[in-house]
Every structure is written in C-alpha cells, then in structure tokens.
Amino acid sequence: MDRIAAMILLLGAFVSMTLFLLALFSVAPIFCSCLCALLYILYYFLANEGTTIHHAQEFENRFWTVFFVLLTMAGIYVKDSPFSVYFESRHSGWGFFVMFIVGYGVHTWDRMVHRKHLTSQVGGLRRGASAAQSLLHLNAHIANSVVASHAGAKAHLTLEEQLERISTCMDNIDQLLVPSTINNFINQQFIMRNEREIISMFEDAQPKTLNWLISHVKLALVFYKIKDHRNFRGQHRTELIELLAVDRVSALTIYSRVLLLRALQLMKLPANARAEHWVRNIILSTHQDDLSKLKTMTDTKGDYFCMNKLIYSDIRSDTVRQDILSHFRKEAAVQQAHMDMGTRKARLRMEQGWRKILSDVDDTLTSSGGSYPAGIDKRYTKKVVYPGVIGLYRELDLGIHGPEEFPSDEVGNLVFLSARPHLYKDFSEKHNFSKFEKLRERQGSRLHTIPSLLAGDLTSGREFMMTNDFEPLARKKFQNFKQFVSIYPEYRHVFICDNGQGDVRAGELMYDQYPRHLDCLFVHLVQDIQKSYGFDPERWRRKGLLKRTCFFKCYPDAALFAATLKPPLIRISGLRRVCQDAVADFEMIVPSQWSSLSQKRDRRSELNQSLGRCNKLLESKGEETVALIESPRQWEDGERVRTTYGIGVIKGFDPIADLYDVEIDWRPLDEQIRDFEKQEATKKDTEKRGILSLNSNQATLQTVVEEDEANYLSPNTSFSKHSSKQSLAGDRDTSSTLPRTSSGNELSFGASGFDRGNDVGSPEPTLDETTASDETSHANTKGGEGGSPVPPSITTKEVGVKRKRSFVQGIVVAKVQGKNITKFTPPTLPKLQSDEKEKTRSKTFSFWATDSVKSAVDNVEASKSKQLLLSPGEKVTTPYGVGVVVEHRKQTNIIVVDMTGPWTARAYLNESIVKREGAGLIGTLLRSFTGVAATSPKRGDSSPSKAERNFPYAVGAKVVSPFGEGKVIRPLSLQIPSSSALSSCSSPEKIDTIAVSLTGWTLRDGSHPTLYCTMNSAKEWKNKIEGKDPPSHRRESSLLSVIGSMVSGTVASFHKIRVPREIEAPTIKVETLFERYYKDGAAVTTAYGDGTVKEFRASDGFYCVSLLMKSGEVFATAYLQEDSMSYRLARGCQEGYPVLTKYGLSGVLQSVNPTTGVHNVIIPSCGAMCYLQPDQVVRPLKAAVGEDVSTKFGDGKVIKYRLSDDKYEIKLTWGGATLYAEAKSFDRIDDRMEYKGGFRMGWILNFFYSREDSKDDGAQRSRSNSFSMLSQSNVSTRSLR
C-alpha cells in the first residue's frame, strides 16, 4: 500500500465516521452530544500522558471508573438514548444498579490489569553473583551470622520463610475484590501492622539476604500497595523506599539496583514527592564500569521502561536530570582517564567492545514489503529478516577483543531507533518487543541480547503522513540519538539504517553534532542512492563522513566493510560467522514468504555475489571460505525448454551460478516449425499403431527411421534419430539389463561434447542428430512411452563430416541463467495484421489513443529540433534529470548538458532524448506565442554570439566581483573537448572556471591576486552591474506567458505532491557545535568554589565565571566548560521541601532553574511566589508556616517557626491547643498527590482525588521551565487562604 492509497483509506474512514455521527445526531442529538464529549475526554486522556492525572495509578483507575459510569449514565438517562426506553418502562432503581455494576467492574478490571503489569517478570537480565547464590549456601551463611551475633528469633528465619512471610503480609494488604482505599479505611491498624512487618524484614536482612529478597519479591507491587497514611509515623511507602534507595543502597548489587529503579518506574515517580531524589541517589552512588552496567541492564529488560524514559520522561525536575547527566559525564571522563593511562581497569575494559549498535527496524532488520508508511523495500516480502543482519549486530557488539562468542552472562548493547510513534503507555512498543522476543527464540541465528527501543512521536509521524516530508522523522531520530549519547558518553556508536526515508539525513546530523562518538554509518540500499533523502556526496566528502559510510545491499558486504575498516570494527573470524549466518537466514525463509521463484532467484544471486566478495578476503587471510547457496534444479537434462535466445535442450546445470548448459536451436524458424510438425505427426502415428511398448526390447519402427532419415540424415549413415533416443533411454533407465557400450557412453549429451575444438573423427553424433534425439526423448519422457535401446552403428568418418556441416546449420551450446528459461512452447510464425478493416478501425480514433497526444507533441518537437538549435543556458529535461544546455553539436547530434538535479555532472547526450523544459502540447503552444523559440540561434549557426565572444570567452573583459573590480586573464575556452577528455569533463569535481585578476587589490610584489570562479558566478556579477537579470530569470510580458507561468506553477505543485521528497537535497542549516546552557548571571558551583556566569564563548564552549568568596566578593575569574560546573543549590535544601528564606519567611522550594540558579519558593502563609538566589535561602525546614502536619496528639498546622531554638509552634485541630515541638516529633502531611485542574472536569475528579477541604482549582505559574506547579507542591490549598 502506497501513500496515496493510505491517504484515501484515511479519508474514507474519516468521511464514514462523520456520516455516522451526523446520522446519529439526526436521530438522537442529546445522546450524540454526550457521546462526542466523552470521546473528546478519552482522546485528551490518551494523548496527554504528561498531565497530572497520569502521575499515579490511583488517578488512572479513578478516571476509568468515572468515565464508564458517565457513559452508562448517558446511555440510561438521556431521553433520546436507544437504551432509555428499556429502563423507563421499569423501576428507576435498575439504572442505578447497572451504573454501580459497571463502575465496580471497570474499577476491579483495571486493578487486575495493573496488578498483572506490576508482577510481570523481568526479561533479559542476568542476576549478579550474590543474588544468584544457592538457597543452601545463603541459609548456611545466615545461620552462621545468627550464631556469631546472637540475633533474635526473626533472624533465624530462612530465605524461604522470609519470602513467605512477605507474601502473606501482601495478601493481607492487597484484597482482590476490595479496593485498597476501602480496605485501609476499614482495617487501618491491621494494614499498618502488615506494612510495618514488611519494612522490618528488609531492614533486618543481611546484605546477601537483602539482595536475594529484592530479586525474588514482587518489589513493584510492594511499593504500590504500601501507602503513606495521614497519621503520625504512617509514611510507610516513603520509609521503605528511603531504606532501600538511601540507607542501604551501598549493600545492593547492580542487579538489585536495576530492579529498584524499575519498581520506581512502575510505581510512577510523580506518585511520591521524593521519588526523583531516590532515583538520583541510586544513580549517583554507582560509579565507572558499574554505572555503565547499570545503565545497560536498565535498557535490556525487554520493556519500554528504559534509561532514556527514566531520565527524559519520568523525571520532571530539570535540576535532578542535570545532576544525573553531569554524573554520567564525570564518570565517563574517569573511565577515559583509565584508558589513557593504561591501568589494570583499562586492560579489563579492553575485553569489551564499548560500542552501542543503533539500528532502524523497518527495511533494516526486517523487510517492510513496500508497505506504507513502514518502508519501500519490495525485494523481500513483509516481516522477512534480512540474511546476516543478526550476525552483524552480534559481531559489532563483540568487537575485535575479548571472546570469540558472545558470553551468556553478559548483556548486549543493541538499541533500535524506530520512526513508529509512541502511543499510550507501551501500546506501540509491545509490538516491537514481541518481535524481538521471537527473534531471540527462533532456530538458527538469533538475537544475542534483548535490545532497547527508542520510538518516535505522533508529531513527526503526522507531519510525514500529511506532507511526505522526511525531515521531521530525521530530526526526531537525531533527537533520540542526542539524548542517548548524553546517557552513554563513555560509549562509541554505529548507526545501521536504510535509505528509504530520513535515516540518511539523521546519520548526517549525528555526525555533525557528535563526530567523535559515531564510528561508522551503515546504509542499507533499498532504492537508488541518488534518491536518498539528505545525501550529497560532495558535502559528505568535505565533512569526512563519506569515508565512514558503507552503502550496501547485502549484510555480508557491510561486515566486509567493518572488517577492512581502519581500525576494524569486527574480526576476520567474525566476518566468516556473519556470512554463515546469512546463509542460514536465507535458508530459513519459508517458500510462502517468496512472492515468486524469480524473486528468490534474484536474492540468492545477490547474496552469493556478496558472499563471493567476502570469500576472497577470507581466502587471503587463510580462513576457511563459506559455501555459497545452491539453486534448486528446475529443468532436467534432455528437457526441451524455451529461453530468451530460442528453443533448446538442457544439457547440464551449475547449482552455484544457477546456469544451465542449453543446446540452442538457431536454425531458421520455418525449419524448426516443419521439424516440430513432423515430430508431432510421427508421435501421433506411433501412438495410433501401438507398436511401442514400455516392456519390449524390439527394435525401433522403420517408419520413424525412414521419416527422420529423409529429413535429417545423409544416405551414407545408418544412425537414426530414434536409435539415438533409444541409447539415451537405455543409459538412464535400463542400465541394469543392458551393458553400456562405448558409443552408448558417448551419447550422454553433456555440454562438453559439443565444443568447437572436438576432433573431427570423434565418435560423437552430429549436432543435428543430437537435437533430434533430444526432442524425441523429451516427447517420449513426457508421453510415458519408452523402448529398448539399439546400439547405433556410426562410422567415424561419416559422423565427423556430418558434425562439421551441422554446426554451420545453427546448433550451439550456451550457458543460460535459470531466470531466462521457461517451459517449452511450440514454435510459431509471427502473425502480421493484414485485415484492412482492423487497420481502419485502429486508426479511427488514434488521436484519443493512449500516449497519442504525447507522441504528436514529440513529433512536433522532433521536427523543430531539426530546424532549431538548443541555445546555451536553456533548461532541458533528460532521462537522468533536469539540466542546462552547454553546447549543441549539430554535426554529431550531441547535446552537452550540465545536470542540475540532486547531483552535479556533465552529460553528453543524443539530441533525441533531450527535450526543452515544459515539452508538451501546452508548452509548445505557449513557446510559439511567447517567442521562446525565437531566441534560439538560426539553423546551422553554431558559432557563439557576440556577447559570448566578448565574455566570458575573451581576455580582458571587466568583471566587478564582491571582492573588487577585476579583469579576465583566463577565459572560458571555446574548444570542443576531445574524446579523451570526456571522462574527465563528466566528473563533478572538474568544472570549467574563469581566472579573474583583481585590479583593485595590489600585493607587496606589485601583482594582483587571482580569483577563480565559475561561468555562472561571473555572469551574475556582470549582469548585476549592468542592471540585467540572468536569462533564466527573464519574464515575458505577453498574456500567454502569464498563463504559461500559472500552468507551469500548477503542474510544479502537483509534481511536488507526487514526487517523493527523498530525491530532493534538503537545505542544510549550519548549527553551532557548542550550545549554551547556563545563562549570564547564573549561580554555579565549580571545583574552585561558587561563582557567577559572566559570558559564554560559542566558538569553543567556554564560560567566563567570576569566583566568589564567602563574603560575596569576586576573587578570581575562571574559564570553564559546561562539564566542569553545575548549578548552585542552596545548602542542604531539596526541591519540594520547606526552606527558610533570608527575609524570615518560610516556604516550599518548588523548583530550581538549573540554567539561572533561581530558586522558586512558595510562601504558604501569604500565597506568594518568590524568585530567590541561592544565598537568599538560609536553611531547610521540616515544615513551613501554614502547612498541615501530623503529630502523635493529632493533626495540626504550623503557625510559627523559631530560628533561635529550632522549635515549631503547631496549632492542633481539636480544642485549639498549641504544641511546641521539635522537627523529629511530627510529620509533614504530603499533599503532592492532590489533583488540581484537569480537562474541564476537575469538579468530578476533585471529588475523588482531593480532601474535603481542598476546593481551590487554581495553579500558580512559575518562571522556571521545570514541571513544578502549585498543584504538585506539598502545600495544602486551604493553607493559602
């Protein structure tokens, strides 16, 4: 399905939906309005995953419950609903009952789906050594530790008992049919005791036991079901995660940390105020190679919860994200320092490739079959894995050091960049991950690791579908690559893609921005290289990208390039393994996946050629070569076939090259027809008489011999056509009963028996006899007849004379490819149309026949070309693109054209295939009236005009260039280039230039500098000075020229719609290599102390930073790069937590802008937003004035804070009592989960999400570009009043 068909299908679906809604609206307008409103709400919910309603699973569960209750309510109680009649006739209580059943069912179903999602197993990860210890060993270790430490009874529990106790507590907390909110309200104390029991199990566990429990317990479900309660010391979820992510993170293995990060992602980070800081602490506590392993294992879990999603989607705080990325860069610098110094760690690191393999999916891993919009490759059918691609992934990951085979206990570095847009949750990613899992489990070559996936987005996909522009797709893939490089700065990367869409352009953007990180670019050619979007060989050569790029059609060629690159990317042995995998992958393609035999034959030939090139290198390196793929035989020896060169008989077969030795009959066609007719008559006569028998050993019929001898044999020989056939049949079928004679062995009819160099006296049959015998044998074999062989009596001399004469008669042996051989059909004479009525009928409406107008116009153009010359500078169209005429050589009928399409070249074309731009009926008429053709030189006048003789073909012509006035000292030559120079002229690198001496400049030695420019540039400068426009920009003033411009413009617009954009070279925007991050005046922290950014140098990426003393005075100026500094955060403060400001007001540090260092602080007591510098924030607090807190005496509100003794004055909600407490004696109530706003239904959602006293829907804005807003803060809306 192409783009036009897809657009028509979408348009049809849209029109059908519109008509359906209009029909429904005409019947039930109120119900239809309610339905449209609910559909709009559903669309907004699915399309905006960044809204607050997606911040916690509880919110989503309540949304689905409310949505289906409202949908049921509309179906029951709206008057014009088709279901309202049924419920109106019955008691109204049935409607409420149905609504309750629907709401409860949806609520329970969503909880079950989410529970299954939380308990899903992690695929692709290998447990670390400490986590994979046997139970016996760990239990013995626990027993020894208990004896040594005299621990209590709880420590005596074995691992199985501890895991069983945690499972029992989870069953008490998580009731399948009772919602957690209701269960917590009814059995709060019981639930809290079980939660405390689980926390104590993790708190008292030893390090090895802790890692074992984390790897075997359903950690994500534990985090989700343990809640933060509103009473004192009831923040159990926060306490548990704080224990694992902060207090005991140093005891966790890399595998346990990966599971902990995944559990936080499944829980959703915005569900807890401190979740982002827990992620930050886990990552910042991991260093060097362990950090690289942590990131890689996070990406190889087999789901879309990858490191890229964690950093750039789940984490909303810019400051947290900046801290993590800065940590990645610092650790990468330490790893590189080890490599530079050659330490022991460096030697260990050398055993790994340290290379990320980024690859496209459609038309790169698997074929799209030309299905729009996935791809355009039709060489293979849809979903076929390209032979050798999986082996290339593995070898690139292995590198040139380390083991020959990929270790089973290691995770790979394969990442797929897909243009398919990300949809709601992992709806689109599931399809790709299921495909990857099948490739992991299939027989033969399989994926060596579970890859990660970076998907596109709806914006770029929509722009591509609507405009057929590949630039948005390329930009999105580059954006994904940019984020990926920021996460993995210690790795180098290769990008494997195809040239069907925007991947080539994306590869160029990657190299422009990160030339040191991109090792190589592999481009799978699924169309002509000239049609690649964004490919310009000259531009790529100047950048140095062309030598790092491999264009290939088969993956063994890509492996050959990787093995011969300097330095190589894979081993020679790895090249051989890729070739073996390619052969195995090709043989795994089932017959149903081939659209035709010719398709399979072409792909086999293409792959064998690639394997042959690889075998040459393997043989030169002393490696064993790889056997090529053999073609299955389709035609047997002696079988008559039809080839593109005539009728013939199969004599042999080469399975590697798919070549058949065919004895071709090149005699006149009438002789072949007479021969065939006589054979058919003989066959019918033989069948009629019934003389031949399959089990008889009698001699052949004399009638056949006489008939054949009369036509084919000389009277001096007794060898008959039929006896030859009998000998062939005897050699094949009756060898067990009839002994072979020498002459019988000679009649095997191999291809070697008919070479021109055979001896004249050879006891071989003549070519005529051989052809006849094969024909008869073929007829007998097909007809089911046979006979006993009769040894021929052939004299050497007679046969030799006959052989020499028969070769001249047109019997030859040729090697023919299988694709050029078809089933035998009888020869026939061509039928000439002689019926005068048919001729008259065909000419009646010839003007309206297909292409008749085009042919008529072409005839007019041909007649004009005989009279007129194409003048230099005139635009023409050729089969190779558009161009500009340089010269029209009438004597040789050759036109010299400079191509101006996607590539630059000089072509020497026959005038019959060159046409003026706009050639056609309308264009011809317009040129006739506007006088375009009149500007051409007269017939026979091939000399240049007067202007051409003056400029640029004359020395001394004045030119005013942008660099000053000058004169031509080396003009453009009028000499016709010789034939030996044609090849050099056709090269795009060699363009005729003009040398201009700039007289306005004088050098020290008195000479003038020389400027070299093209003829077009010199003409533009000269025309600009003379006040003229270039000839190509002139406009005729006649009425028809205006109409012609309108017609040509309209046609050009249609061409832009029809012609794919990939053949157009995109406009390259020059981007600065260094992007500015910190703004002027930003407060930063460096290795030399705190400072303030003064300016930024875009040329080298350095910041000018004024270093400050504690008193605030400047004591030095430093020039630092971005990696050498970070934003300044107030000492001891964290985002989302209370702070004390310099002005005596306490508030909540809502966010910090990392580019400026500005702290956004909300003051709950007065409802104000303050934008402060870091030195204006004094210290962190437990709670701000105006916030709600929980004490052991009940809930209350902070009304005052005393800095002198660090005491909080809390007014309790009951009795108006006042409590003076320290920070450790109360808990701050977290309202971060509160939902404010929404999409025009906040009054419904607030009823479920907010407390009774939370009725303020407003959300204050922040000047920071971070995610924080008042609706996400730790501030009660009631306290802002």
Side-chain angles (χ1 to χ4, degrees), residues 481 485 489 491-493 510-520 548 1073-1074 1121:
F481 176 78
V485 171
Y491 282 84
R492 301 184 68 86
H493 307 80
M510 296 174 188
Y511 180 80
D512 291 342
Q513 191 74 15
Y514 302 97
R516 297 181 180 179
H517 288 81
L518 189 64
D519 276 343
C520 188
R548 295 193 188 183
L1073 188 59
F1074 299 96
Q1121 287 186 325

Side-chain angles (χ1 to χ4, degrees), residues 44 96 105 118 173 210 243 320 410 569 639 687 701 756 890 989 1001 1004 1033 1035 1122 1128 1165 1170 1172 1272:
Y44 197 93
F96 288 101
L118 292 174
I173 296 172
L210 178 64
L243 171 68
V320 174
E410 292 291 335
L569 301 180
E639 188 173 357
E687 292 176 352
L701 290 177
R756 296 189 180 186
K890 190 60 180 177
E989 297 181 357
W1001 292 67
R1004 186 174 182 180
H1033 293 193
R1035 298 289 184 268
E1122 180 182 338
R1128 195 197 317 172
S1165 57
C1170 298
L1172 308 175
Q1272 299 166 315

Side-chain angles (χ1 to χ4, degrees), residues 636-813:
E636 298 297 332
D637 289 344
E639 188 173 357
R640 299 189 68 185
V641 293
R642 179 175 289 275
T643 71
T644 55
Y645 313 105
I647 297 175
V649 179
I650 301 296
K651 293 300 179 182
F653 177 62
D654 181 5
I656 299 298
D658 192 23
L659 290 177
Y660 288 85
D661 294 329
V662 184
E663 186 181 87
I664 302 177
D665 188 357
W666 276 0
R667 296 177 300 165
L669 186 59
D670 56 342
E671 294 185 15
Q672 298 184 39
I673 294 175
R674 287 196 302 269
D675 183 17
F676 177 77
E677 291 176 349
K678 291 181 179 180
Q679 291 177 27
E680 291 297 317
T682 302
K683 180 180 177 181
K684 292 180 180 179
D685 186 55
T686 303
E687 292 176 352
K688 183 177 180 180
R689 297 186 181 187
I691 298 177
L692 294 179
S693 176
L694 292 175
N695 299 322
S696 176
N697 292 327
Q698 299 298 326
T700 60
L701 290 177
Q702 295 299 321
T703 55
V704 178
V705 175
E706 289 174 0
E707 234 180 319
D708 291 342
E709 288 175 352
N711 292 280
Y712 298 103
L713 299 179
S714 64
N716 297 326
T717 179
S718 62
F719 179 72
S720 66
K721 168 185 170 184
H722 204 79
S723 63
S724 175
K725 178 267 299 182
Q726 297 285 2
S727 300
L728 178 62
D731 286 342
R732 289 181 180 176
D733 303 328
T734 61
S735 58
S736 60
T737 60
L738 180 67
R740 292 174 179 251
T741 63
S742 60
S743 60
N745 289 333
E746 295 291 344
L747 293 176
S748 61
F749 305 120
S752 61
F754 299 96
D755 294 336
R756 296 189 180 186
N758 285 350
D759 187 12
V760 178
S762 174
E764 296 272 346
T766 65
L767 291 176
D768 267 342
E769 294 165 347
T770 304
T771 306
S773 65
D774 272 353
E775 292 171 357
T776 310
S777 174
H778 176 72
N780 261 349
T781 303
K782 298 299 181 182
E785 298 178 358
S788 58
V790 177
S793 57
I794 307 174
T795 61
T796 304
K797 183 176 179 179
E798 293 170 344
V799 173
V801 174
K802 184 67 180 176
R803 173 181 176 83
K804 190 172 182 179
R805 186 170 62 250
S806 64
F807 179 81
V808 181
Q809 293 179 358
I811 304 298
V812 296
V813 175

Side-chain angles (χ1 to χ4, degrees), residues 820-1038:
N820 298 324
I821 301 177
T822 57
K823 187 178 179 180
F824 171 75
T825 56
T828 57
L829 289 174
K831 295 182 180 180
L832 301 178
Q833 188 177 15
S834 59
D835 192 354
E836 296 296 334
K837 295 182 179 180
E838 293 295 331
K839 291 183 178 180
T840 306
R841 188 184 309 169
S842 62
K843 294 180 179 179
T844 304
F845 297 103
S846 60
F847 180 79
W848 305 107
T850 305
D851 295 336
S852 60
V853 177
K854 178 179 181 300
S855 60
V857 174
D858 290 342
N859 293 334
V860 174
E861 291 295 322
S863 63
K864 287 189 176 183
S865 64
K866 297 179 181 178
Q867 302 174 358
L868 300 177
L869 287 174
L870 294 175
S871 58
E874 190 170 355
K875 293 184 178 180
V876 294
T877 58
T878 71
Y880 314 102
V882 297
V884 178
V885 175
V886 177
E887 183 182 1
H888 189 170
R889 303 174 183 175
K890 190 60 180 177
Q891 294 79 4
T892 58
N893 296 331
I894 295 297
I895 300 177
V896 184
V897 181
D898 279 342
M899 307 306 297
T900 59
W903 61 88
T904 58
R906 174 162 292 185
Y908 296 82
L909 308 174
N910 192 286
E911 62 183 11
S912 61
I913 63 173
V914 179
K915 300 177 183 179
R916 286 190 177 93
E917 189 178 28
L921 182 61
I922 299 178
T924 304
L925 294 175
L926 292 177
R927 283 198 307 273
S928 300
F929 285 96
T930 55
V932 175
T935 60
S936 303
K938 295 182 179 180
R939 181 180 180 181
D941 185 12
S942 59
S943 60
S945 62
K946 181 179 180 181
E948 291 174 339
R949 287 194 297 268
N950 292 336
F951 178 83
Y953 303 98
V955 178
K958 292 185 178 180
V959 177
V960 180
S961 69
F963 310 99
E965 185 177 354
K967 62 180 180 180
V968 177
I969 60 176
R970 193 192 70 184
L972 192 66
S973 176
L974 284 173
Q975 299 292 334
I976 298 177
S978 61
S979 59
S980 61
L982 292 181
S983 59
S984 61
C985 293
S986 63
S987 174
E989 297 181 357
K990 297 182 179 180
I991 303 176
D992 293 334
T993 58
I994 301 172
V996 179
S997 178
L998 299 178
T999 57
W1001 292 67
T1002 303
L1003 302 179
R1004 186 174 182 180
D1005 58 356
S1007 62
H1008 302 289
T1010 303
L1011 172 67
Y1012 295 92
C1013 63
T1014 62
M1015 179 186 66
N1016 295 332
S1017 299
K1019 282 186 176 181
E1020 289 180 2
W1021 299 338
K1022 189 174 181 61
N1023 293 334
K1024 186 177 296 184
I1025 298 301
E1026 295 175 358
K1028 300 178 181 179
D1029 291 334
S1032 60
H1033 293 193
R1034 294 174 184 171
R1035 298 289 184 268
E1036 271 68 43
S1037 59
S1038 63

